[in-house]
Amino acid sequence: MKEYYKLKKENIIKQEDANEFMGIRILDGIPKVYVPLTFRVSEDEKQRNKDIILFLKSLSLAFNDKEYIKQSGNAQDDIWPIESYLWIIKDYLENGIYQNREKEYKNNSQGKIDWKRTIRNMPIYSNGNLVYTDFVSRLISSTNDVLSYTYKYCLSISTKRIGWLFNCFFNITIEKKLSLNEMITNVRKALSSTYDDIKRARFKHMLAILTNVDDIAVDSKEHTYGVKNYYYVFERMVDIYFNGICASEMKRYYPHGQWNIYPNLDISFSSSELRPDTIRHIEKDYKYTYIIDAKMYKYGGLEHLNYPTEGLPETTSIQKQITYGDYIQRFVDTDRIVRNIFVLPFDKTIERFTECKGNVEYINDNIAFIGFARGDWRLKNTCNNNRNEYDYIFSFLIDLNFLIKNYSKKLDDSVFDCITNKINILISSN
């Protein structure tokens, strides 16, 4: 059996542009993980494996959005319940193969006496004392090998797919006994009949594994888990981290095109809608609406640039942000100051992003300011007093590894204050 954990990182990890497949492919039992250019690959194996696990977990942001997957077709093959794979492997390492142990009660048998049950029997009176001759003993026995078999089955799937991420690779082999439907039925029955929290967690993770695999895939040595590109995942992480408004409220911020089609030119038909990634409201000296657009571009993963704007959002993206600003300022948040922000990923350890190079201005250890974009058609023949603040798209980088690890914790308000203060200075100087 090949020891996957000894494979060199060069053979396991392949850094690609984020518009390519992102995820994991296993061919003939050999794994290869495809990550964005901005993903930092640690030289330390233990840290590298932790980062890969977090990266694979982040893909669930796409898979959990059923509507997005349905519309985009962005999923590739199986849906992997990574959390459940990790839980089962950890459970196995700590406790071994799960055995369904049940309590049995027998009269006058070896084992621990269950006094509560024993005193229910009829005692004998002797010399003024109550004497119990029929003892009820409690014995723990392993039963229902169907659950044990199913546990091994789930463990086998988990180790084949991500077992190589652990320092010791183990091979779980099982002989096919039950169909997938039979195993699911048995686990669901066991789940409904227990109140033990650990058992319930174990059975739920087993069900997550069983309901996301088919019999053919289990026996295959080829597996794929990933998305066609990483854009949506990055957008969702930024939205969560920057604490954007809820999805139901976001619909107010979607501008639509309209068509009036001959010969009934007085009848309008809505065209497709534009959807900003994140909206955040701030109320301080003034009321602000920030339109935050997450751009999964490669600028932050390039060691060198062939030209200054390589890997940055193009004019169409700049125009879209200005359109959002126009729409929101005029029709949605008319009493607020509207501003635009681009957020791009980067690897903060790349040499050109070190502070001594002077190419960026760090807001904190993981967020840096790089400049702003604007459309020259908006600025020509317009005096400064008539310019809208949303005509400038202020652009920041966020360390991708940091975001993958911390997006659910949300950005601290004090950090966003630093971002807004930087924008205030730039606005006043332009």
Side-chain angles (χ1 to χ4, degrees), residues 353-371:
F353 293 121
T354 56
E355 287 192 272
C356 63
K357 291 293 182 180
N359 294 322
V360 295
E361 180 181 338
Y362 277 86
I363 302 298
N364 66 6
D365 289 340
N366 297 288
I367 298 176
F369 172 72
I370 57 168

Side-chain angles (χ1 to χ4, degrees), residues 56 60 73 77 130 171 205 207 215 225 234 237 244 247 295 312 314 349 358 360 369 374 381 389 410 416 421:
L56 294 175
S60 65
D77 288 1
L130 294 176
N171 184 29
H205 284 295
L207 281 174
D215 285 325
Y225 172 69
F234 182 66
M237 289 192 296
K295 307 301 277 186
L312 287 172
E314 59 289 306
T349 64
V360 295
F369 172 72
R374 58 186 180 178
N381 301 319
E389 293 192 12
K410 300 186 185 302
F416 200 78
N421 289 337

Side-chain angles (χ1 to χ4, degrees), residues 32 103 132 177 266 271 273 334 353 360 363 370 422:
K32 180 157 287 190
K103 296 177 182 178
Y132 290 89
K177 292 182 180 179
D266 57 335
S271 184
E273 60 193 12
T334 56
F353 293 121
V360 295
I363 302 298
I370 57 168
K422 178 61 184 176

